[in-house]
Structures are given as structure tokens and as C-alpha cells.
Amino acid sequence: MGMIHRFDVVIVGAGPAGMCAGMYAGRSMLKTVVLERGFPGGELLNTELIEDYPGFERILGHELAQKFADHAAKFGAEFRNGVVVERVTKRDDGTFETHTESGDVYESPVVIITAGGTPVKLGVPGELEFAGKGVSYCAICDGAFFRGHTIAVIGGGDAATEEADFLTRYAEKVYLIHRREELRASKILQSRVFANSKIEPVWNTTVEEILGDEQGLVYNLKLRDVNTQEVRDLAVTGVFVFIGFRPNTGIIEGHVEHDEMGYLRTDANMHTSIRGLFAAGDLRSQLTRQVTTAVGDATTAAIAAEKYLKAIADGNPNAEIGGTGGYTA
Ligand SMILES: Cc1cc2nc3c(=O)[nH]c(=O)nc-3n(C[C@H](O)[C@H](O)[C@H](O)COP(=O)(O)OP(=O)(O)OC[C@H]3O[C@@H](n4cnc5c(N)ncnc54)[C@H](O)[C@@H]3O)c2cc1C
């Protein structure tokens, strides 16, 4: 039997959104806990360099993560690391129960879910078999293992192009394999890729299979040209997959409004269709997913959560939250 913990605000996930929500909720003197299955940082821990967070022209991902965590802790948010949230349920009395793998349950009138997303898999033979033996979803974690190698990056968005460019620090050659004939990435990232002589784009091509050698390491890709259907081999010793993320929303029990991709829909206050459940960051349905948008969402979510708690305390839990604008000091 696990323990019961009671908080005003339970935040699931300590990425940029969770840490920022923790900072605001803590600063509002709310008893706040941030539950994280690993270490605080989220995707920042998988990103070498951040160049587009205002005030920091260049900062290492893990350094920015540390600053966020320190700042939230300074205002009183409690971090509990290595805590895997299994499900979030809502009782009839309006209290949320956040159930963890260890059996501990966190009770709170508000939950802010900031659990981000999980990399989408290619779903081809060899991918799972060779994961960690040549197949990777994290350039910063595994790039250094491919010094002097010829490798492939799969995808055509911001993550694929940014990481293809990054991986040329180690790899001799990087094939950027994309199923379309142009990249989806932002223009600045595209221009870096096209200016990098170590990167060779491979257009209109999908991966059919990842093949390994007798030592169990990747040595070859089977590729298909989507126009001609021609299948060919490409010799590579590493495959980095960056074809998107799935929002980590499966922990919410019961129906919650989401878009066709499964990202949570919220109102302008980051309130989901479940009253008292707020969402912020990469798992929210929106135009773009960046550190800036994650912390913007989280700011709104934490302030709206505070107003929601006030409404409950006033005996009017169904009152409209905010909407009157204004600045908070
Ligand atoms: C390779 C790469 C490079 C990027 N580069 C940039 C960049 O240069 N600039 C930029 O602005 N953005 C960049 N981004 C995007 C940016 O990192 C994300 O938008 C941002 O991290 C989203 O923050 P988040 O808090 O919503 O989610 P995340 O950062 O994904 O954090 C979610 C957290 O929730 C935790 N979690 C999930 N499920 C559970 C559970 N069940 N129980 C407990 N904890 C859980 C996870 O462990 C994680 O720590 C990059 C992303 C990637 C993948």
C-alpha cells in the first residue's frame, strides 16, 4: 500500500513546461509538487545547444534545464524525480488522484499535465532489434559513438535537420532521408543543411528495413523510392530517427478533448475539457512546440490554476477563470 500525499497543485513532468508551471505555482505560495519519471529537463536534456530562448544567444540544453529547476525550487516547488505517473483520475468530489508506479497517490484539486511526447517509431523490421546498437532517437546522447561513420537521419522537420547538422561533428557523412522532395524544417535550419557538405539529402525515400551484421550492429538500410518503388541498399552504421512525437496523454483516465493527432485541446487558459486539469507544452494542440511556447503555456496554466483554486475556496468552483486580463507582479 503506497502513501497518500496532498498538494494544491500536482504537475506531471519536469520539462520546460512543468518546471515553469512549478515556478509560478510555487511563487503563488501554492503547495506544489512536480513529478518526473527521470531527471528534470525533459527534451532540453536531449538538445545540445539552444539558440532561440530569449536572453540566451547560446546555452547548453542541460544548463538551461538546471536554471529552470533551480528557479522553480527557489520558489518552493518540490521536485520528486524517478516517479512514474501511471494514471490521473478524478473523483466525484472533484479531487484528482495521481497514481504512481510505486503505489503512492498524490491528491490535489488541480493537475497540470506537462508530460511532453514520445518519439514516433518508424515501425520497420530491425528498428527495435537494433535500438541502442545503431538505431537512436537522440543525437546528443549517441552522436559521439559515430565518430568517422557514415550514418542516416530519417525525417524532414526541424528536429531531423537540426540533428543531421549536429551529427556531422562526429560522422563523416550523413544521409538525410525524407519521404518527400522538400524539407518541412524552418528556412534557417534548411539553409544549414544545404550548406553542410557532409549532408546528402535523399528525397522521396522511405526506410523498408534496418539490417544488422553478425555482431548485432547496424550495417545497412533497405530503402524504397516512393515514386519508382525501386528498392536499394544503403550502407550505414547508424540510424537516427526524427519523425515526430506522440503526446504522452494516455495517463489521463476518462475522455478528454484532443485533436486528430491526440494532442490535448485547451481553452485560452490552458484548461482542458476536464475541470481542474490544465495542460501545457508539447502535449497541447498548437501551431508549434518550442521551449518558449512550453513556458508560455505553463505560465498561463499556473496562473489560471491559482484562480481556479480561489474559485473553489470561494465556494464557486464553476466560476469563469480569468479573462479580464491584467498583469501579475
Ligand atoms: C532534438 C530536439 C531539439 C530541440 N531543439 C529545440 C531548440 O533548439 N529550441 C527550442 O525552443 N525547442 C527545441 N526543441 C523542443 C523543446 O525541447 C520542447 O518543445 C520542450 O522541451 C517541450 O517542453 P515540455 O515540458 O512540454 O515537454 P518535455 O520537454 O518533453 O518534458 C516532458 C517531461 O515529462 C516527463 N514525463 C512524461 N511522462 C511522464 C510520466 N508518466 N510520469 C512522470 N514524468 C513523465 C518526461 O520524462 C519529461 O521530462 C527540441 C526538441 C528536440 C526533440
Side-chain angles (χ1 to χ4, degrees):
M1 184 70 183
M3 287 173 64
I4 305 280
H5 310 266
R6 291 196 176 84
F7 284 85
D8 295 326
V9 178
V10 169
I11 297 169
V12 181
M19 294 189 285
C20 179
M23 183 192 79
Y24 271 93
R27 192 164 179 261
S28 300
M29 310 297 280
L30 300 174
K31 191 166 182 265
T32 302
V33 68
V34 187
L35 305 178
E36 168 56 49
R37 64 184 171 189
F39 294 102
E43 290 300 343
L44 285 177
L45 300 181
N46 296 328
T47 309
E48 200 220 3
L49 199 58
I50 303 284
E51 291 181 318
D52 49 11
Y53 191 72
F56 297 91
E57 278 177 34
R58 290 166 75 81
I59 184 163
L60 296 173
H62 71 86
E63 277 182 20
L64 189 58
Q66 190 62 53
K67 284 181 187 295
F68 278 20
D70 291 347
H71 204 160
K74 182 188 160 204
F75 283 120
E78 269 186 52
F79 281 81
R80 305 231 170 134
N81 302 333
V83 175
V84 179
V85 172
E86 284 190 332
R87 61 185 205 282
V88 177
T89 61
K90 192 177 179 187
R91 296 199 307 241
D92 288 345
D93 69 359
T95 304
F96 287 94
E97 292 180 356
T98 299
H99 296 259
T100 66
E101 199 179 47
S102 69
D104 282 9
V105 178
Y106 291 76
E107 292 184 351
S108 57
V110 161
V111 169
I112 303 178
I113 180 163
T114 61
T118 303
V120 174
K121 308 281 186 296
L122 283 168
V124 299
E127 182 179 22
L128 297 182
E129 192 182 343
F130 298 112
K133 297 168 191 157
V135 176
S136 172
Y137 305 88
C138 178
I140 182 80
C141 320
D142 299 329
F145 297 123
F146 295 89
R147 212 175 282 275
H149 289 226
T150 295
I151 62 171
V153 168
I154 320 298
D158 282 356
T161 46
E162 190 175 356
E163 300 310 333
D165 191 42
F166 168 75
L167 285 163
T168 59
R169 289 178 190 200
Y170 306 108
E172 194 52 43
K173 173 144 191 114
V174 176
Y175 291 103
L176 180 57
I177 298 172
H178 186 38
R179 61 189 168 151
R180 304 187 204 287
E181 61 190 11
E182 59 184 39
L183 300 171
R184 276 184 297 108
S186 61
K187 293 288 176 222
I188 185 164
L189 294 176
Q190 290 194 33
S191 63
R192 278 185 204 164
V193 159
F194 296 136
N196 189 330
S197 60
K198 284 185 168 182
I199 300 177
E200 181 178 329
V202 181
W203 305 116
N204 298 312
T205 297
T206 55
V207 177
E208 292 274 291
E209 188 173 356
I210 300 169
L211 297 158
D213 59 19
E214 55 287 347
Q215 282 139 32
L217 299 170
V218 167
Y219 83 102
N220 212 358
L221 284 182
K222 234 172 228 332
L223 302 179
R224 181 182 293 276
D225 184 309
V226 296
N227 293 327
T228 64
Q229 299 304 315
E230 192 185 314
V231 175
R232 69 178 173 105
D233 287 344
L234 183 72
V236 294
T237 48
V239 187
F240 286 80
V241 182
F242 299 109
I243 56 170
F245 278 82
R246 287 235 165 78
N248 293 328
T249 56
I251 53 176
I252 303 165
E253 209 166 88
H255 178 74
V256 58
E257 290 291 320
H258 56 80
D259 67 18
E260 60 287 352
M261 306 284 287
Y263 291 95
L264 296 182
R265 288 196 200 282
T266 67
D267 65 12
N269 295 322
M270 306 301 139
H271 219 158
T272 69
S273 57
I274 299 176
R275 199 140 178 93
L277 178 69
F278 296 81
D282 275 13
L283 53 54
R284 197 173 79 80
S285 180
Q286 56 183 316
L287 176 67
T288 188
R289 293 183 177 83
Q290 289 283 282
V291 179
T292 47
T293 50
V295 299
D297 287 0
T299 306
T300 303
I303 290 171
E306 185 193 356
K307 290 183 184 297
Y308 175 67
L309 288 168
K310 171 95 170 45
I312 293 175
D314 291 346
N316 195 6
N318 293 319
E320 276 292 311
I321 300 169
T324 52
Y327 300 101
T328 48

